[in-house]
Amino acid sequence: EGKYYMSQPEYQQQFAEKLGFRAYPGTLNLKVDSTEALTFINYLSPIRINGFEHEERTFGALTAYRAKIGKIECCVIIPDRTTHDRSTLEVISPHYLRDKLNVKDGDKVTIDGI
């Protein structure tokens, strides 16, 4: 599902302008303690990505926060509308993070805000 949304040209243009990269078409979803997730983003500067309409469909806005997993720069995104609960952090990057980090479902990663 993340692939569909991240592939939208209107999002990609804003990512390039506001985040400095075009996102790989998909998200890395991290399971976290919801309290830790809220604490994590409270210390970071929000970057607003605007919603838009395309072919009579509405795509919601989201807030991005710059982060790193190891040495790889990425952004945590918090969509205004999502099917995920607060225990899931969605991460975007110019890279396919599963390959770049060599991770699979259930692996632990450390993410730091920048």
Side-chain angles (χ1 to χ4, degrees), residues 56-67:
E56 298 183 19
R57 182 166 180 187
T58 301
F59 292 82
L62 60 94
T63 305
Y65 301 88
R66 293 187 188 282

Side-chain angles (χ1 to χ4, degrees), residues 16-92:
E17 291 171 2
K18 297 178 180 183
L19 305 177
F21 64 84
R22 292 190 177 275
Y24 175 84
T27 60
L28 177 66
N29 295 337
L30 304 177
K31 289 292 182 190
V32 297
D33 176 274
S34 57
T35 304
E36 288 178 12
L38 291 174
T39 301
F40 173 79
I41 63 172
N42 279 338
Y43 293 99
L44 304 177
S45 298
I47 302 164
R48 195 71 176 152
I49 304 296
N50 299 316
F52 56 91
E53 287 188 24
H54 180 69
E55 296 180 0
E56 298 183 19
R57 182 166 180 187
T58 301
F59 292 82
L62 60 94
T63 305
Y65 301 88
R66 293 187 188 282
K68 277 189 175 185
I69 300 175
K71 295 181 180 181
I72 301 169
E73 290 191 24
C74 56
C75 286
V76 171
I77 59 169
I78 310 292
D80 288 0
R81 301 182 313 212
T82 183
T83 57
H84 296 297
D85 62 24
R86 292 178 188 249
S87 68
T88 301
L89 283 183
E90 294 184 76
V91 181
I92 62 171

